[in-house]
Amino acid sequence: MGTLKFRVLLDSEKDQEIFRDIRINEEDNFETLYRTVLNSFNFEGKEMGSFFMSNDEWDKGHEISLMDMSYSDEDQELTSVMSDAKLADFMEVPDQKIILVYDFLRMWIFLIELQDRTEETIDKPHIDLAVGTAPPEDSKMIQEDAFYGEEEEDEFGDFDEDFGDGYDDEDFGSGYEEYEY
């Protein structure tokens, strides 16, 4: 058992250099790395996130998600779950690259690169170096078109404008007291 040293760069909108160097045991799982990364940037960690194994071009590869999000075994690429995935099992090359996407509405992106592998072991993950001040977790605007692109908005237009205002809000939800459930 050994220790892995990662450099974790926060992809920020302001071209600031914000990164952390983190050491963690290679037998730890991705959930431990996830919590360590978020804590090192003072993020609360209440939102969903996924790691993506990557290559030198930072392309997204195999997904390692916080929770099992699969709904069936058919026609779906297998994903791993952070709590079950050991770091050592995914470190394929000396400079292994990993992308962490946190909060799928705000889309915080962390670029993670393996810097070193040693034989020593440590009791718990350790932050060796912290450069730059991370912005507040809620400082990034939620992507308005995260679920509905501009095309769909233009295609359907304004509901009230297209269909009129023939219904009063009071009409909806009334009359349910007559029925026994």
Side-chain angles (χ1 to χ4, degrees):
M1 181 161 87
T3 300
L4 303 170
K5 180 181 177 184
F6 292 103
R7 171 143 304 161
V8 182
L9 176 70
L10 175 61
D11 186 26
S12 70
E13 297 170 350
K14 296 182 180 178
D15 293 334
Q16 296 174 316
E17 196 167 76
I18 304 169
F19 68 88
R20 307 291 183 257
D21 285 353
I22 295 173
R23 281 186 300 138
I24 186 169
N25 285 324
E26 65 183 353
E27 293 301 313
D28 280 332
N29 61 31
F30 274 85
E31 187 171 5
T32 303
L33 178 61
Y34 178 76
R35 301 286 176 212
T36 304
V37 168
L38 295 179
N39 286 338
S40 73
F41 287 92
N42 297 318
F43 283 19
E44 290 183 35
K46 293 181 179 180
E47 303 299 328
M48 291 293 296
S50 284
F51 287 101
F52 296 90
M53 300 311 296
S54 189
N55 57 21
D56 287 337
E57 284 78 41
W58 294 101
D59 297 320
K60 286 183 184 175
H62 180 77
E63 181 178 4
I64 304 168
S65 62
L66 184 58
M67 296 171 20
D68 185 2
M69 302 298 283
S70 61
Y71 54 89
S72 76
D73 293 335
E74 297 178 18
D75 300 328
Q76 187 172 352
E77 185 179 326
L78 295 175
T79 60
S80 301
V81 177
M82 289 183 201
S83 60
D84 298 332
K86 283 200 305 190
L87 293 168
D89 295 339
F90 290 87
M91 297 303 111
E92 299 170 352
V93 294
D95 64 344
Q96 181 66 59
K97 291 174 178 53
I98 306 167
I99 299 168
L100 170 59
V101 178
Y102 172 70
D103 188 345
F104 294 112
L105 294 177
R106 287 190 166 85
M107 294 299 290
W108 288 105
I109 308 292
F110 298 88
L111 304 175
I112 303 169
E113 186 172 3
L114 180 62
Q115 298 284 302
D116 195 17
R117 198 178 220 149
T118 63
E119 294 300 317
E120 72 174 309
T121 57
I122 54 177
D123 293 334
K124 60 182 182 177
H126 186 265
I127 301 166
D128 286 344
L129 178 65
V131 173
T133 303
E137 182 176 344
D138 63 353
S139 66
K140 200 170 193 182
M141 298 300 295
I142 291 178
Q143 302 291 324
E144 299 233 357
D145 62 345
F147 295 108
Y148 304 104
E150 288 180 27
E151 295 172 10
E152 289 183 36
E153 194 173 303
D154 293 339
E155 180 181 338
F156 296 113
D158 185 19
F159 181 80
D160 287 339
E161 195 175 287
D162 291 345
F163 293 102
D165 195 18
Y167 296 100
D168 292 330
D169 290 339
E170 293 86 32
D171 291 342
F172 291 104
S174 63
Y176 288 107
E177 58 278 352
E178 314 174 8
Y179 301 103
E180 291 183 28
Y181 293 100

